[in-house]
Amino acid sequence: MDLTKLTTERRNTKTMHLDELSSLEILTIMNEEDNNVAKAIKNELSDIDVVVQEIIKSFNKDGRLIYMGAGTSGRLGILDAAECVPTFGTNPEMVQGFIAGGEKAMTVAVEGAEDSKELAINDLKSINLNENDIVIGIAASGRTPYVIGALEYATSVNATTATIACNKNAEISKFAQFPIEVDAGPEILTGSTRLKAGTSQKLVLNMLSTASMIGIGKVYKNLMVDVKATNKKLVERSKRIIMEATDCDYNIAEQTFNEANQDVKLAIVMILTGSNKETAMLRLKEGKGFIKNSI
């Protein structure tokens, strides 16, 4: 295995004397290097858009979005999946993340887990992966066997496959229909891919999940209309969203929110169309969940 060809493993010429710098100098270089991440992602927007469209296709077939990764890559996939539930009101099965080594690997390294294709296959078999799903393999190095195993199995059941790698000509790209490769240059701390590579992955994941959820009607204008009010803060946020979307006052927002069984989207349609809950539900169904098509 020749790691010297991987950008993520090369030494950064700007930080050859990193240990001799002051903390402010280190922070300045880190900030400068982080600025390169967004620029690198900008170059790959067309590939990212293609994957967004594939995710939307899967969702429209009642398929699922499945992230697969090891280490930081796996943790970031699980984080993105977990945050879809409160933000977009999805069920936990709709977007899922798996990490090599299982839940234990979220906090401690599990030796050898990332080198096992079989672990990935078992993880995907456990959720009965099928042709309606899309699997996105995440690997900074672009060569993680766990991810390759996941992509191979996904292909065998005719699921859609995509990847996020932080090196060009990544090995995992060969196993995916829709690869994304973001090269933001070598890390300031050689090989520490939780830095720029991790930031790159997080930003791309933000794009994929957010744009895909917008694409299936979970956003109205720029408001989170499918947010679930699972605590006091989110209850108040829900009411503010209703007020912003309809220009109604707090009392109307609160009353309609409760009439709609705390369904923000439904409450908005009720107010904008002057209809009762049942009629608004029918309008939303006919509009395929999009408020703009239901009013």
Side-chain angles (χ1 to χ4, degrees):
M1 182 190 308
D2 186 1
L3 298 182
T4 61
K5 296 180 180 179
L6 303 179
T7 299
T8 50
E9 295 293 332
R10 292 176 186 167
R11 296 183 70 184
N12 191 319
T13 56
K14 299 177 184 178
T15 61
M16 298 299 279
H17 303 287
L18 190 63
D19 61 332
E20 300 173 13
L21 302 179
S22 70
S23 58
L24 181 57
E25 288 173 326
I26 293 169
L27 297 177
T28 299
I29 291 177
M30 289 186 75
N31 181 243
E32 290 173 350
E33 288 293 297
D34 284 343
N35 282 330
N36 294 327
V37 174
K39 295 175 183 177
I41 290 174
K42 184 178 181 180
N43 294 331
E44 313 306 330
L45 288 179
S46 59
D47 287 344
I48 296 170
D49 180 53
V50 170
V51 177
V52 168
Q53 299 308 315
E54 292 300 321
I55 296 170
I56 293 171
K57 288 178 185 177
S58 286
F59 286 161
N60 285 334
K61 295 184 293 185
D62 292 324
R64 300 162 295 179
L65 168 58
I66 311 298
Y67 296 131
M68 305 292 292
T72 298
S73 300
R75 295 182 188 103
L76 289 171
I78 290 173
L79 174 64
D80 195 70
E83 291 179 344
C84 284
V85 177
T87 305
F88 300 111
T90 61
N91 64 58
E93 290 73 36
M94 186 173 175
V95 184
Q96 299 181 50
F98 287 92
I99 184 171
E103 290 185 11
K104 180 182 178 181
M106 283 295 292
T107 54
V108 296
V110 177
E111 294 298 328
E114 75 168 57
D115 294 327
S116 173
K117 290 184 177 182
E118 193 63 35
L119 286 178
I121 294 170
N122 291 339
D123 285 340
L124 292 178
K125 284 183 176 180
S126 74
I127 60 167
N128 298 314
L129 189 78
N130 63 71
E131 68 275 7
N132 294 327
D133 300 325
I134 178 168
V135 172
I136 300 183
I138 314 167
S141 67
R143 52 152 300 278
T144 308
Y146 175 84
V147 172
I148 292 174
L151 296 168
E152 289 177 329
Y153 180 74
T155 299
S156 74
V157 299
N158 295 317
T160 304
T161 55
T163 51
I164 304 171
C166 298
N167 284 286
K168 292 296 183 179
N169 302 310
E171 183 70 15
I172 62 172
S173 298
K174 301 174 185 177
F175 297 88
Q177 296 165 282
F178 306 103
I180 298 168
E181 298 179 340
V182 179
D183 182 354
E187 303 288 2
I188 71 148
L189 181 62
T190 307
S192 183
T193 53
R194 69 184 184 86
L195 300 176
K196 285 194 298 182
T199 301
S200 300
Q201 293 169 335
K202 180 65 169 73
L203 292 177
V204 173
L205 290 167
N206 286 348
M207 290 177 166
L208 293 177
S209 55
T210 303
S212 299
M213 293 298 174
I214 294 170
I216 60 171
K218 291 188 170 292
V219 172
Y220 176 57
K221 298 186 182 299
N222 63 348
L223 300 171
M224 296 187 295
V225 293
D226 265 328
V227 64
K228 295 302 179 187
T230 55
N231 57 47
K232 291 182 179 179
K233 178 189 73 175
L234 292 178
V235 166
E236 291 306 307
R237 178 181 292 169
S238 297
K239 295 172 188 175
R240 290 202 310 273
I241 289 172
I242 294 169
M243 293 168 66
E244 292 282 351
T246 66
D247 290 326
C248 74
D249 62 27
Y250 183 89
N251 290 334
I252 293 295
E254 182 174 49
Q255 178 184 335
T256 312
F257 181 54
N258 290 329
E259 288 177 2
N261 296 326
Q262 297 198 333
D263 185 321
V264 174
K265 182 185 284 185
L266 183 59
I268 290 171
V269 174
M270 288 170 66
I271 294 172
L272 291 179
T273 62
S275 57
N276 60 28
K277 182 172 71 173
E278 290 71 25
T279 301
M281 289 174 66
L282 181 60
R283 282 177 173 269
L284 272 171
K285 184 177 180 180
E286 292 174 346
K288 297 183 178 180
F290 288 82
I291 290 179
K292 64 182 180 181
N293 296 336
S294 307
I295 57 178

